[in-house]
Amino acid sequence: MNRENPLVLGIETSCDETGIGIVRGTTLLANVIASSMDEHARYGGVVPEVAARAHLEELVPAIEAAVAESGIRLEDLDAIAVTSGPGLAGALMVGVGAAKALALALGKPIYAVNHLVGHVGADVLRLGESDTVPLEYPTIALLVSGGHTSLLLVRDLTSDVELLGETIDDAAGEAFDKVARILGMPYPGGPRIDAAAATGDPRAIRFPRGLSRPKDMDEHRYDFSFSGLKTSVARWVEHREDAGEPVPVSDVAASFREAVVDILLTKAVAACADYGVPRLLLGGGVIANARLRQVAIERTDAAGLTLRIPPLSLCTDNGAMIAALGAQLIMNGHEPSTLDFGADSTLPVEQIQVAPAPVVPAVRGGNDGNTPAGVT
Ligand code: KG4
Ligand code: ZN
């Protein structure tokens, strides 16, 4: 196995995106994403069974498309990487099964990795000649999507990731989707709220910032809560409707968006200060939010922090970030996973790689690095 510049195919199926990525070391060769979002629209959120079935249909065509896009041959791969968790169990199982089958058929090692750490891994990819600054450590990472809202302290991508806090109820993207529904907008709500908010007044209504009171700060300093905010928006809209008054949709959208952005960045910037970390990395689909990006730039500038935001195609769930994390593990000398790993819907973020094989002595016997560990 080429450990200096490994060619890795990554498979991501933790939610509603079937993502296949191919990287060589830190160079992105292909990033194919097939989303089943449209199929979930009429339910107002991701339906796990529908997502899993869509992965089954999309996986093989997505692998073929990624191989064609990259110009590589599957035989040339050094390893397969796959998301083992966290995520939707049924959806994860499809990717895990496919990755094991591919690894066995090709006789390649497999790396089972953590989806959340993968989001951070997206940032090690170099996207051209001008992209020369590598990810530096330590970094605080704020990951916000429809499925997660997590604040991480990353001391080392392949060996030391600590969960500082996460949402105790809804994910930030989920809150956008629910509030959009209250305002009569279709799923996914994030982009619609963002668009409506553009012409609204963010100070029109003061919505609550979850877990920001002094007593919350003791126990939930870096945790988030968005369900109270969602309820508060629902009440406000109901009062208006009950009074027979029109609902100022743009102002509600802008005020809600402001509350989400404010609390996300207040806590992320505080974590940087508390831990003496001079950089902040953003990831997840909610990073598409225009106001979030703008306030992130303003606040990190004011606090003297470096801000990193990967391109959106690498912020939303994708296979390239999984391949990138797999490649980093290989380059840092980690052994492949044994084949006795499964899908783990609640995989803790500290577990960067699942079921790593025990380190084998360099001389005599042991894995030649070309066979999945556990296969004899
Ligand atoms: O990372 P992602 O593509 O995947 C999942 O979580 O499945 O994130 C999707 C989430 C959805 O909740 C969507 O409403 C939200 O990201 N989102 C946004 C924006 N664009 C997408 N939220 C706020 N503002 C946006 N512009
Ligand atoms: Zn994600």
Side-chain angles (χ1 to χ4, degrees), residues 126-349:
R126 290 188 47 197
L127 300 166
E129 291 305 307
S130 59
D131 186 15
T132 49
V133 188
L135 173 67
E136 288 179 287
Y137 304 113
T139 186
I140 298 289
L142 174 66
L143 307 179
V144 264
S145 77
H148 36 78
T149 306
S150 312
L151 201 52
L152 314 181
L153 169 56
V154 184
R155 294 192 190 86
D156 183 283
L157 184 67
T158 61
S159 62
D160 191 351
V161 179
E162 184 182 337
L163 180 70
L164 298 180
E166 61 189 338
T167 181
I168 61 167
D169 41 57
D170 294 342
E174 211 177 343
F176 270 96
D177 296 334
K178 288 181 176 174
V179 166
R181 196 153 22 152
I182 293 167
L183 295 175
M185 299 168 184
Y187 174 85
R192 322 255 173 187
I193 299 245
D194 211 11
T199 52
D201 176 4
R203 287 172 303 273
I205 311 148
R206 173 82 194 172
F207 288 126
R209 273 68 171 155
L211 299 181
S212 64
R213 286 171 302 188
K215 79 170 172 56
D216 297 323
M217 291 306 275
D218 291 339
E219 211 187 324
H220 292 290
R221 188 166 182 79
Y222 305 117
D223 289 329
F224 303 96
S225 167
F226 296 105
S227 77
L229 170 60
K230 173 205 65 192
T231 307
S232 171
V233 174
R235 294 250 162 79
W236 196 93
V237 170
E238 266 164 34
H239 280 144
R240 274 290 174 123
E241 286 170 346
D242 289 350
E245 293 168 26
V247 176
V249 171
S250 297
D251 284 350
V252 175
S255 302
F256 161 74
R257 180 177 72 165
E258 199 66 12
V260 176
V261 167
D262 182 26
I263 196 67
L264 285 173
L265 288 166
T266 298
K267 294 207 174 200
V269 170
C272 290
D274 295 349
Y275 286 89
V277 174
R279 53 192 75 85
L280 175 64
L281 168 73
L282 304 183
V286 179
I287 303 305
N289 192 275
R291 183 73 182 143
L292 181 60
R293 296 170 89 96
Q294 184 192 356
V295 176
I297 292 168
E298 287 167 11
R299 299 239 188 131
T300 50
D301 265 0
L305 305 170
T306 307
L307 175 67
R308 295 183 71 103
I309 311 179
L312 195 60
S313 59
L314 292 172
C315 276
T316 54
D317 290 351
N318 67 85
M321 69 185 197
I322 301 305
L325 176 55
Q328 289 291 311
L329 286 162
I330 295 169
M331 290 190 274
N332 284 293
H334 294 258
E335 292 300 316
S337 302
T338 62
L339 276 183
D340 52 6
F341 72 90
D344 184 348
S345 58
T346 59
L347 184 68
V349 74

